[in-house]
Amino acid sequence: MSGSAALSRRSLLRLGGVVGLTGTVGAGLVAPFPAVAEPSRTRIDYLDLDPVTSTTRTSREARPVAEFAARTTSAFSTLAVTWTVTDAPAPDVRYRVRRDGRWSDWGPLGDGPVGRVEGTVGPRDGTDPIFVGDCDGVAVRVLDAPAGDVADPQVVLIDPERLASDREVPGDRLGTTAAPARPELTWRGGWGADPNLGSTCRGPNPTLHAAIIHHTAGTNSYTQADSAQIIRGIHAYHTNTLGWCDIGYNFLIDKWGRIFEGRDGSVESNAHGAHAGSWNTDTVGISFMGNYETAAATTAMLESAARLAAWELAPYGRDPESRVTLAGKTIYRIAGHGDVMATACPGRNVIAKMASLRSRTAALIG
């Protein structure tokens, strides 16, 4: 099927649900218009790390070259570290936070440099933004980076205020019997996307060849009421801090299997995302919320990913178990971020499920 034909089918599928509002909407289905949460007011604090000129350590200890000493801060729930772009590899960044009056253990601050997945080089790069819950204190160390490789490091603390609507994030199902049907999802308005963040993105991809699977990293102990807030934090970091036009992922899926529209236009068209560098073109970026290097992906999450991938790939006649060559690499039609870039994403526990994810998607397409 040609790209234009597939796009037309995607548009008609969406219009079919809208027409259903004046005719008959299928049993058990609700109108596909997004419910809109109240706008989110996001606060972002940028705090400079101090250089460490000397330190005493054993031969087995990593050497901190910059640090943000433990201290009280304004309230935040999402954390990242950024630096001025250089050609050096990402540094090893460690953090601890204070939550409910107690300090956590030191832990790694996600993958990086995340800025390279956008496909263009901005003035600053950084770690993944990770959700840490409601915190009011932080300490950060940048370890064992050669002198000059980490320029002007900053701690980024994001507080995408909690909304009353977060406890009942609205979803909707498409009023059509076409197969495979679009799975229930939450539109951008449902998770409280701030319309003042970001700018106009480039036009959509003309076709779709593959789905790239990611994870957001960060905590796995979030609640259902946290999911929308996590996405708002990522959105603020990608746009306000890194200067992207929008959140990078096309879709995000929480551990209960709830699907959230990410980049604007991802439901109606093949929005060009920012998730895999040269492999942003003609792909859809789907991110599992959590760290699946350390936790197992839930059955609900994997099933939702299969249903979403089936709905995305079927109009183009793509076999999820086949391979395609994109940007010089031959990959499966459903591939992990680590299949195209040097990263552990989407985590070993998702990687172990990729074959079954592809086969389930193929079964749904039929």
Side-chain angles (χ1 to χ4, degrees):
M1 182 181 295
S2 70
S4 59
L7 281 173
S8 296
R9 179 182 171 190
R10 284 279 291 275
S11 299
L12 286 172
L13 283 174
R14 182 167 182 268
L15 286 173
V18 175
V19 171
L21 292 176
T22 58
T24 301
V25 179
L29 299 182
V30 296
F33 291 118
V36 179
E38 64 266 42
S40 169
R41 295 182 297 275
T42 300
R43 193 195 74 251
I44 306 179
D45 295 332
Y46 298 96
L47 308 172
D48 292 334
L49 277 76
D50 297 317
V52 176
T53 55
S54 64
T55 187
T56 302
R57 63 169 181 166
T58 69
S59 59
R60 290 180 293 179
E61 290 178 329
R63 179 177 66 91
V65 297
E67 68 177 356
F68 185 84
R71 70 192 72 173
T72 299
T73 66
S74 298
F76 67 96
S77 62
T78 298
L79 168 69
V81 168
T82 66
W83 53 86
T84 299
V85 169
T86 69
D87 292 330
D92 181 5
V93 181
R94 303 288 166 141
Y95 78 97
R96 61 193 303 223
V97 293
R98 187 174 64 193
R99 184 170 49 246
D100 298 328
R102 302 184 63 178
W103 285 93
S104 68
D105 294 332
W106 287 96
L109 189 52
D111 292 332
V114 70
R116 296 179 189 178
V117 306
E118 199 272 341
T120 60
V121 179
R124 293 188 71 80
D125 212 333
T127 65
D128 280 319
I130 65 167
F131 180 78
V132 291
D134 295 331
C135 296
D136 62 1
V138 67
V140 172
R141 291 175 180 167
V142 177
L143 303 178
D144 271 346
D149 279 359
V150 182
D152 304 317
Q154 287 185 321
V155 180
V156 183
L157 305 180
I158 304 173
D159 178 28
E161 69 166 345
R162 195 173 293 278
L163 304 177
S165 58
D166 289 348
R167 294 189 178 278
E168 281 192 57
V169 176
D172 74 284
R173 296 184 290 277
L174 192 64
T176 177
T177 57
R182 196 200 74 198
E184 181 175 355
L185 58 81
T186 296
W187 298 65
R188 288 165 61 87
W191 54 261
D194 186 341
N196 297 313
L197 293 178
S199 57
T200 302
C201 295
R202 63 186 293 177
N205 289 314
T207 189
L208 186 68
H209 285 297
I212 307 296
I213 307 299
H214 304 262
H215 70 168
T216 61
T219 183
N220 297 302
S221 60
Y222 61 92
T223 68
Q224 288 194 36
D226 291 329
S227 293
Q229 187 182 26
I230 292 171
I231 299 171
R232 292 196 299 272
I234 297 171
H235 181 218
Y237 180 67
H238 284 177
T239 56
N240 193 297
T241 301
L242 297 182
W244 300 359
C245 65
D246 198 351
I247 190 170
Y249 306 119
N250 296 104
F251 296 95
L252 301 95
I253 304 176
D254 71 10
K255 61 186 180 182
W256 295 275
R258 296 184 300 175
I259 302 171
F260 298 83
E261 180 187 24
R263 178 155 292 202
D264 195 18
S266 293
V267 176
E268 299 97 326
S269 65
N270 296 320
H272 189 282
H275 55 92
S278 298
W279 295 269
N280 293 331
T281 300
D282 299 339
T283 67
V284 57
I286 301 170
S287 190
F288 292 146
M289 295 169 61
N291 186 340
Y292 297 100
E293 187 69 18
T294 58
T298 67
T299 299
M301 175 180 283
L302 293 166
E303 177 65 14
S304 290
R307 292 184 178 279
L308 179 60
W311 177 71
E312 287 281 352
L313 295 172
Y316 300 90
R318 312 301 187 201
D319 176 0
E321 297 183 293
S322 67
R323 296 175 184 259
V324 62
T325 299
L326 298 174
K329 285 194 176 184
T330 300
I331 60 172
Y332 280 108
R333 297 279 185 181
I334 301 177
H337 187 190
D339 291 325
V340 296
M341 301 186 77
T343 175
C345 179
R348 61 182 178 175
N349 294 314
V350 170
I351 293 170
K353 297 290 187 179
M354 291 297 288
S356 60
L357 176 59
R358 287 189 285 266
S359 63
R360 174 58 178 155
T361 305
L364 289 167
I365 292 175

